[in-house]
Short mmCIF file of all heavy atoms in Angstrom, two decimals:
data_model
loop_
_atom_site.label_atom_id
_atom_site.label_comp_id
_atom_site.label_asym_id
_atom_site.label_seq_id
_atom_site.Cartn_x
_atom_site.Cartn_y
_atom_site.Cartn_z
N LEU A 113 -1.14 -52.25 -82.23
CA LEU A 113 -0.79 -52.49 -83.63
C LEU A 113 0.66 -52.11 -83.93
O LEU A 113 1.40 -52.84 -84.58
CB LEU A 113 -1.72 -51.69 -84.55
CG LEU A 113 -3.09 -52.29 -84.85
CD1 LEU A 113 -3.87 -51.34 -85.73
CD2 LEU A 113 -2.96 -53.64 -85.50
N VAL A 114 1.04 -50.93 -83.43
CA VAL A 114 2.38 -50.43 -83.72
C VAL A 114 3.45 -51.32 -83.10
O VAL A 114 4.51 -51.55 -83.69
CB VAL A 114 2.51 -48.98 -83.21
CG1 VAL A 114 3.96 -48.51 -83.31
CG2 VAL A 114 1.60 -48.06 -84.00
N THR A 115 3.15 -51.84 -81.90
CA THR A 115 4.15 -52.64 -81.20
C THR A 115 4.06 -54.14 -81.50
O THR A 115 4.90 -54.91 -81.04
CB THR A 115 4.01 -52.43 -79.68
OG1 THR A 115 2.67 -52.79 -79.29
CG2 THR A 115 4.28 -50.99 -79.31
N ALA A 116 3.03 -54.54 -82.24
CA ALA A 116 2.86 -55.97 -82.54
C ALA A 116 3.94 -56.45 -83.50
O ALA A 116 4.39 -55.72 -84.38
CB ALA A 116 1.48 -56.21 -83.14
N LYS A 117 4.35 -57.69 -83.31
CA LYS A 117 5.36 -58.30 -84.17
C LYS A 117 4.68 -59.15 -85.24
O LYS A 117 3.58 -59.64 -85.05
CB LYS A 117 6.31 -59.14 -83.34
CG LYS A 117 7.11 -58.36 -82.32
CD LYS A 117 8.03 -59.26 -81.53
CE LYS A 117 8.83 -58.46 -80.50
NZ LYS A 117 9.74 -59.34 -79.72
N GLU A 118 5.40 -59.32 -86.34
CA GLU A 118 4.95 -60.17 -87.42
C GLU A 118 3.58 -59.74 -87.96
O GLU A 118 2.72 -60.56 -88.26
CB GLU A 118 4.89 -61.64 -86.97
CG GLU A 118 6.23 -62.18 -86.52
CD GLU A 118 6.14 -63.62 -86.06
OE1 GLU A 118 5.03 -64.19 -86.10
OE2 GLU A 118 7.18 -64.17 -85.67
N LEU A 119 3.39 -58.44 -88.06
CA LEU A 119 2.16 -57.90 -88.61
C LEU A 119 2.51 -57.10 -89.85
O LEU A 119 3.27 -56.13 -89.78
CB LEU A 119 1.45 -57.01 -87.58
CG LEU A 119 -0.02 -56.69 -87.85
CD1 LEU A 119 -0.85 -57.97 -87.85
CD2 LEU A 119 -0.55 -55.74 -86.79
N SER A 120 1.97 -57.52 -90.99
CA SER A 120 2.32 -56.88 -92.25
C SER A 120 1.71 -55.49 -92.36
O SER A 120 0.74 -55.16 -91.66
CB SER A 120 1.85 -57.73 -93.42
OG SER A 120 0.43 -57.77 -93.46
N LEU A 121 2.26 -54.69 -93.25
CA LEU A 121 1.75 -53.34 -93.47
C LEU A 121 0.32 -53.38 -93.98
O LEU A 121 -0.51 -52.55 -93.58
CB LEU A 121 2.66 -52.61 -94.48
CG LEU A 121 2.23 -51.18 -94.85
CD1 LEU A 121 2.21 -50.29 -93.62
CD2 LEU A 121 3.18 -50.62 -95.91
N VAL A 122 0.02 -54.34 -94.83
CA VAL A 122 -1.34 -54.48 -95.37
C VAL A 122 -2.33 -54.77 -94.24
O VAL A 122 -3.42 -54.20 -94.18
CB VAL A 122 -1.40 -55.60 -96.43
CG1 VAL A 122 -2.84 -55.81 -96.88
CG2 VAL A 122 -0.52 -55.24 -97.61
N ALA A 123 -1.93 -55.65 -93.33
CA ALA A 123 -2.79 -55.98 -92.20
C ALA A 123 -3.03 -54.78 -91.30
O ALA A 123 -4.15 -54.53 -90.84
CB ALA A 123 -2.19 -57.13 -91.40
N ILE A 124 -1.97 -54.01 -91.05
CA ILE A 124 -2.10 -52.81 -90.23
C ILE A 124 -3.04 -51.81 -90.88
O ILE A 124 -3.92 -51.24 -90.22
CB ILE A 124 -0.72 -52.17 -89.98
CG1 ILE A 124 0.15 -53.09 -89.12
CG2 ILE A 124 -0.87 -50.80 -89.30
CD1 ILE A 124 1.54 -52.55 -88.87
N LEU A 125 -2.89 -51.59 -92.17
CA LEU A 125 -3.76 -50.65 -92.89
C LEU A 125 -5.21 -51.12 -92.87
O LEU A 125 -6.14 -50.32 -92.71
CB LEU A 125 -3.27 -50.49 -94.34
CG LEU A 125 -1.94 -49.77 -94.53
CD1 LEU A 125 -1.53 -49.77 -96.00
CD2 LEU A 125 -2.02 -48.33 -94.00
N ALA A 126 -5.41 -52.44 -93.03
CA ALA A 126 -6.77 -52.99 -93.01
C ALA A 126 -7.44 -52.76 -91.66
O ALA A 126 -8.61 -52.36 -91.58
CB ALA A 126 -6.73 -54.48 -93.34
N VAL A 127 -6.67 -52.99 -90.58
CA VAL A 127 -7.22 -52.79 -89.25
C VAL A 127 -7.49 -51.32 -88.98
O VAL A 127 -8.48 -50.95 -88.35
CB VAL A 127 -6.27 -53.37 -88.19
CG1 VAL A 127 -6.77 -53.07 -86.79
CG2 VAL A 127 -6.13 -54.87 -88.37
N LEU A 128 -6.60 -50.46 -89.47
CA LEU A 128 -6.80 -49.02 -89.31
C LEU A 128 -8.08 -48.55 -90.00
O LEU A 128 -8.83 -47.71 -89.48
CB LEU A 128 -5.60 -48.25 -89.86
CG LEU A 128 -4.31 -48.32 -89.04
CD1 LEU A 128 -3.19 -47.59 -89.77
CD2 LEU A 128 -4.53 -47.71 -87.67
N VAL A 129 -8.36 -49.11 -91.17
CA VAL A 129 -9.60 -48.79 -91.89
C VAL A 129 -10.81 -49.24 -91.09
O VAL A 129 -11.79 -48.50 -90.92
CB VAL A 129 -9.60 -49.43 -93.29
CG1 VAL A 129 -10.98 -49.29 -93.93
CG2 VAL A 129 -8.54 -48.80 -94.17
N LEU A 130 -10.74 -50.47 -90.56
CA LEU A 130 -11.84 -50.98 -89.74
C LEU A 130 -12.03 -50.14 -88.48
O LEU A 130 -13.15 -49.89 -88.04
CB LEU A 130 -11.57 -52.44 -89.36
CG LEU A 130 -11.64 -53.46 -90.50
CD1 LEU A 130 -11.22 -54.83 -90.00
CD2 LEU A 130 -13.04 -53.51 -91.10
N LEU A 131 -10.90 -49.68 -87.92
CA LEU A 131 -10.97 -48.84 -86.74
C LEU A 131 -11.65 -47.52 -87.04
O LEU A 131 -12.49 -47.03 -86.27
CB LEU A 131 -9.55 -48.59 -86.20
CG LEU A 131 -9.43 -47.91 -84.85
CD1 LEU A 131 -10.07 -48.76 -83.76
CD2 LEU A 131 -7.97 -47.64 -84.53
#
Side-chain angles (χ1 to χ4, degrees):
L113 278 178
V114 172
T115 57
K117 297 180 180 180
E118 300 179 0
L119 197 62
S120 66
L121 178 60
V122 175
I124 294 178
L125 291 176
V127 175
L128 288 176
V129 170
L130 291 175
L131 189 62

